[in-house]
């Protein structure tokens, strides 16, 4: 059974940075597609970034140049480095795992807010203040 646990959320001011981590177990990270998704209060869940097992990444336009997704397969850990944070980045951040993903699938996962991913963590809250 795949289990995912996020950590690293918190409250920072605009322009600050946070690094989220997602510890996974019960799967072989080198054969999975992993991603970060977020949901603000009253809004639908949206995609943030997705990474394939070969390290290929895809980002939603709003975070390009500010966020970086990475993974340490040896540790089974997924990361999201978030810099130059904005209030609109606030929300609950979830990591998710799913079947292998090519570029087309990565874009679809982002567009659909992660629909199609098999396993989800419980989330970590990010709050960005003005």
């Amino acid at each position: 059974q795949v289990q995912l646990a996020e950590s690293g959320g918190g409250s920072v001011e605009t322009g600050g940075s946070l690094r989220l981590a997602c510890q996974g177990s019960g799967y072989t990270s080198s054969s999975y597609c992993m991603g970060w998704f977020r949901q603000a209060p009253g809004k639908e869940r949206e995609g943030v970034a997705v990474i394939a097992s070969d390290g290929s990444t895809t980002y939603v336009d709003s975070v390009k140049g500010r966020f970086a997704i990475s993974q340490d397969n040896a540790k089974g850990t997924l990361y999201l480095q978030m810099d130059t944070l904005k209030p609109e980045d606030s929300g609950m951040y979830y990591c998710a795992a799913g079947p292998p993903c090519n570029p087309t699938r990565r874009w679809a996962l982002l567009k659909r807010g992660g629909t199609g991913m098999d396993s989800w963590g419980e989330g970590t809250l990010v709050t960005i203040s003005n």
Side-chain angles (χ1 to χ4, degrees), residues 35-89:
W36 287 97
F37 303 85
R38 66 187 180 189
Q39 187 168 21
K43 295 186 177 181
E44 294 186 352
R45 190 175 64 207
E46 63 175 356
V48 176
V50 178
I51 185 168
S53 57
D54 66 357
S56 300
T57 58
T58 303
Y59 297 88
V60 67
D61 286 347
S62 62
V63 307
K64 283 182 180 177
R66 301 189 297 122
F67 290 13
I69 187 172
S70 62
Q71 59 188 359
D72 185 332
N73 290 333
K75 295 181 178 180
T77 305
L78 178 73
Y79 300 99
L80 184 68
Q81 177 66 42
M82 305 188 295
D83 298 320
T84 319
L85 283 161
K86 304 175 181 180
E88 52 264 41
D89 294 319

Side-chain angles (χ1 to χ4, degrees), residues 6 16 19 22 24 28 30 38 48 58-59 62-63 65 69-70 77 79 90 92-93 107 113-115 126:
E6 302 93 339
R19 189 192 194 205
C22 173
T28 303
S30 60
R38 66 187 180 189
V48 176
T58 303
Y59 297 88
S62 62
V63 307
I69 187 172
S70 62
T77 305
Y79 300 99
S90 296
M92 188 69 79
Y93 281 68
W107 276 116
T115 299
V126 171

